[in-house]
Amino acid sequence: IRGFVEEDFVDCIFDEDYPDLVPAPPAPPLGLYMGEASYVKWEGKSKTVLSPRPKKNWDKGFNDKAVLQRVQEWEEELHHLMAEAWIEQGVDNNEDGRLTAERVWTENVLEPWSIKAQEQLLKYRQWKLEQQVALEASEALSHLSSSSLNALDKEVP
C-alpha cells in the first residue's frame, strides 16, 4: 500500500487460520462508493435482476435500457463529484503537486495506521514461522515413531 506496508500484509489480513484480527487500512472519506452488489442467489429465487446490468434471463428488475442509461449517468456524475471533492482543498505548492486532501489523509490516517500494521505483520510472520516449525516437527516425529515401532521385536512381551 504505497510503500507503507509490505505485500505479504495482504496474506496477514486474509489468512483464515491466523487467530488475531488485523484491520485493513481505513478508507479515505472521499471517493468511495459501492459499485457492485451481488444478489445472484436472490435473483434466481425471484427471477428478477436486482442490480442494474444488462441481463436477458428475466424481464423484471433493473435491466431496462432506460434504467441502465440512468445508472451510467449517475456513475459519471458521482465520479465527477468525487473528483471535485478530492481537488476542493487544492494542490500542494511543492514540486510533487500532490492533492492536499490526499496528503492530509496519508499523513493523518495512513501513516499512523501503517506503523501498527507493520507491528501486526511482524507478529503474523512470527506466528507463520512457528506454524511451519510445528508442522515440520510433527511430521518428523510421526516418521520417527512409525520407523521406531517397525524396528521393535514383536515377539518380546
Side-chain angles (χ1 to χ4, degrees), residues 3-24:
F4 288 103
V5 292
E6 297 172 47
E7 286 185 26
D8 59 337
F9 185 76
V10 174
D11 297 333
C12 176
I13 291 177
F14 294 108
D15 190 332
E16 293 179 3
D17 296 326
Y18 188 52
D20 293 349
L21 293 176
V22 179

Side-chain angles (χ1 to χ4, degrees), residues 72-109:
Q72 182 179 353
E73 291 168 3
W74 171 79
E75 286 178 344
E76 290 170 4
E77 180 183 357
L78 189 59
H79 291 160
H80 180 75
L81 292 171
M82 287 187 302
E84 283 181 352
W86 275 103
I87 63 173
E88 185 176 33
Q89 295 179 26
V91 177
D92 288 350
N93 292 326
N94 55 25
E95 54 203 49
D96 67 2
R98 287 172 68 183
L99 292 173
T100 303
E102 180 270 334
R103 180 188 50 75
V104 168
W105 177 78
T106 299
E107 291 172 356
N108 295 337
V109 178

Side-chain angles (χ1 to χ4, degrees), residues 30-110:
L30 304 172
L32 296 175
Y33 73 98
M34 179 66 180
E36 296 293 325
S38 180
Y39 301 112
V40 175
K41 180 178 179 181
W42 295 106
E43 285 182 342
K45 289 181 177 185
S46 65
K47 300 192 181 335
T48 303
V49 180
L50 298 175
S51 59
R53 67 187 193 285
K55 186 129 174 95
K56 300 195 185 312
N57 293 16
W58 303 292
D59 294 333
K60 297 186 298 180
F62 297 106
N63 59 348
D64 181 71
K65 284 186 180 184
V67 171
L68 297 175
Q69 178 63 36
R70 182 59 193 119
V71 168
Q72 182 179 353
E73 291 168 3
W74 171 79
E75 286 178 344
E76 290 170 4
E77 180 183 357
L78 189 59
H79 291 160
H80 180 75
L81 292 171
M82 287 187 302
E84 283 181 352
W86 275 103
I87 63 173
E88 185 176 33
Q89 295 179 26
V91 177
D92 288 350
N93 292 326
N94 55 25
E95 54 203 49
D96 67 2
R98 287 172 68 183
L99 292 173
T100 303
E102 180 270 334
R103 180 188 50 75
V104 168
W105 177 78
T106 299
E107 291 172 356
N108 295 337
V109 178
L110 188 59

